[in-house]
Amino acid sequence: MSTPEQAIVSLLSQFALSFDGAFLGVTLAYAAVRSIVKYTSSSSALRRLRSAPSVRVSDLRLLLNDDDSASSASSSSSASRTSDGESSSAGGMGEGKLVILRGVVEAKSNVDGSNGWKGLRGNNQGVLVSQESGDRAVIIQRTQTCIYNEWRGIFKWTYDLRAVFSRSLRQCGSTSVRTVPFVLIDGGPWPHADYVLVNLDGSTHMLPLATVFHQLQPVNASPYTFLQALFGHEYPVGVIDEERILPLGSEISAVGVCTYKTGVPEIRSCKDLPYFLIEKTKDEMLVDLALTMKRLYWSSIIIGSASLIVLGVSIVRNWNRWKQSRQQRQNQQLNQATIEQHGDETTEDEPVDVPDGQLCVICLMRRRRSAFVPCGHLVCCQRCALSVEREDAPKCPVCRQSIRNSVRIYDS
């Protein structure tokens, strides 16, 4: 890496390890909490999917009618117990029922005629056609992604980390989606009598689209491109064109709430469930969600344990550092108080005509007046001896033996 990259990496590492890793520990704890929240939501989704019935389109009307009858009976019994005698409508049909519906994709325009399924094969109105493959579909998504390259240039004004952050902040591609109303039907011989309308309004789930076109087109260089490369900026080198469709006749599963709308069953997505339209069956979705829960469970335990260790070490180190700084402040205050208390005794130790052999070995200014116990070395003045004595691990500056205190020596 270049010098700017090394400086930024060093700054980020120092910031992550600031306060003895407290910031890193808080970040890991936040990641662990996010994993726990996702694990809780996945667990709730798994329980709901297990209890949801998996039915075909032909069996859905019977299931909803049974639920409607049960809801109507309960509503009638509740209405009979009211004192004012007002009747209540069946709330089950308005609220809907969570189901896992398996069916075949078909355009709505082919089934909403006056004669039902009459003219289904020859009617192409309301059906999208892929421009590249010619396949009929109900959803067509086209994506154009621009690929950028970067040459450092002769001035080396840019580096990799800047390119990473800048690329994440700007749009490098465009996506266009076309949809037509579509339904799910049962496969098998024609004609069919039942279908379910798919409502995509408000859905943010991924769609089971199949790629039918994928091509990389190079971008011709221009004088402006040369200037971009010369001064170290990104320049385009190619464009990826991709087309994905949801074709007619594909068998998918719809996970959502099914209700009646103007006499037609309709299914819409649930925001608290990870699936809406998917190619997997109910058993495959349960297995996939169970694996996701297991991964989130162990990741939350590992990341949570790491965050506790890092935060524990950080707390212990900062606590010891705080105690050490407090002890140093107390020692300094004691030394200052002792020096002020014995100020009259140390005034006579001013460096006035003191031979070199009798100077303090620490300050080299005052006469040797204090002897250390138990080694007995007379090598320091009283002020420096008190300073050495107040240290956390006091040792004689000559023999490096641990000392307990010092004794003032007076001349006869």
Side-chain angles (χ1 to χ4, degrees), residues 5-16:
E5 294 176 6
Q6 294 177 355
I8 291 181
V9 171
S10 176
L11 181 62
L12 292 176
S13 62
Q14 291 178 3
F15 182 72

Side-chain angles (χ1 to χ4, degrees), residues 14 66 80 141 162 207 235 240 277-278 298 323 332 366 383 397 402:
Q14 291 178 3
D66 292 341
S80 62
Q141 175 181 322
R162 188 195 68 85
L207 299 175
Y235 58 94
I240 296 178
L277 300 179
I278 189 172
W298 286 109
K323 290 197 302 183
Q332 292 177 359
R366 290 176 288 273
R383 185 176 299 178
S402 298

Side-chain angles (χ1 to χ4, degrees), residues 100 102 252-253 275 278-282 284-285 288:
I100 301 177
R102 190 74 177 176
I252 62 174
S253 297
Y275 307 114
I278 189 172
E279 296 178 350
K280 298 179 180 179
T281 61
K282 178 181 179 179
E284 292 174 346
M285 285 187 284
D288 184 49

Side-chain angles (χ1 to χ4, degrees), residues 31-97:
V33 171
R34 289 292 302 272
S35 299
I36 293 175
V37 172
K38 291 182 179 179
Y39 173 80
T40 304
S41 61
S42 299
S43 177
S44 176
L46 181 61
R47 290 194 299 267
R48 295 186 63 183
L49 289 180
R50 284 177 177 173
S51 60
S54 179
V55 296
R56 304 289 299 187
V57 177
S58 57
D59 301 330
L60 180 62
R61 188 178 297 273
L62 179 61
L63 177 64
L64 293 180
N65 289 334
D66 292 341
D67 293 339
D68 187 24
S69 300
S71 178
S72 300
S74 61
S75 300
S76 300
S77 60
S78 300
S80 62
R81 289 193 298 266
T82 56
S83 59
D84 54 359
E86 295 181 355
S87 61
S88 60
S89 61
M93 293 304 297
E95 297 177 356
K97 180 177 180 60

Side-chain angles (χ1 to χ4, degrees), residues 132 141-147 174 211-217 238-244:
E132 304 297 337
Q141 175 181 322
R142 292 188 62 89
T143 304
Q144 285 189 343
T145 305
C146 189
I147 301 177
S174 60
T211 301
V212 295
F213 178 74
H214 187 88
Q215 183 179 4
L216 173 62
Q217 299 177 356
V239 177
I240 296 178
D241 288 333
E242 185 180 16
E243 187 179 66
R244 306 179 65 196

